[in-house]
Amino acid sequence: MDCIFCRIAAGEIPADVVARGEGALAFRDLNPQAPTHVLVIPRHHVPSAGHLTDAERAPVLGELMRLAVEVAAQLGLADQGYRLVVNTGANGGQTVDHLHVHLLGGRQMRWPPG
Ligand code: DGP
């Protein structure tokens, strides 16, 4: 298995896990871009949001978002707000080809993003 996030999901590579869902896992980003930066991934490999085109796979993103919102509340971000980001493909800035939702919080976010 050469996918780093699949290896984290399998417990082969350590990660600072903050929550587990039935089909999803949330852990802290190695290179945080905000005081709180968590990644939420599906346990099963999906390369990107662009691969969620069929009806069977589309609910995966809903599960990731649900867990991200739960983690945001758990980590005390709900009142001040936070940002959920899904970088998709090269122009989207995706560097790890395993679908993930970034949960960023703890500071004021800017718009437009870089
Ligand atoms: P993206 O650029 O959207 O594909 O985000 C990938 C993120 O994954 C990036 O913020 C850094 C993070 N990352 C890469 N490798 C690891 C790792 O081995 N462990 C953890 N916790 N995060 C990683």
Side-chain angles (χ1 to χ4, degrees):
M1 193 194 313
D2 62 359
C3 170
I4 193 133
F5 286 179
C6 281
R7 297 188 70 187
I8 287 174
E12 293 174 14
I13 293 179
D16 187 354
V17 174
V18 295
R20 294 168 202 276
E22 197 179 314
L25 185 70
F27 55 91
R28 292 189 191 273
D29 195 294
L30 206 56
N31 183 23
Q33 302 300 313
T36 298
H37 188 170
V38 170
L39 300 172
V40 185
I41 67 166
R43 291 182 187 276
H44 294 296
H45 189 76
V46 177
S48 79
H51 292 76
L52 293 174
T53 47
D54 59 76
E56 202 181 314
R57 276 175 145 187
V60 170
L61 199 51
E63 184 178 3
L64 300 187
M65 287 295 186
R66 192 199 58 74
L67 187 59
V69 167
E70 197 177 294
V71 170
Q74 177 189 316
L75 298 180
L77 300 175
D79 285 351
Q80 293 294 312
Y82 49 87
R83 183 170 287 175
L84 300 175
V85 176
V86 184
N87 294 331
T88 306
N91 270 6
Q94 184 176 5
T95 59
V96 176
D97 290 332
H98 181 126
L99 173 64
H100 49 282
V101 173
H102 293 262
L103 164 62
L104 297 146
R107 67 168 169 84
Q108 178 64 56
M109 299 297 155
R110 289 172 293 277
W111 194 263

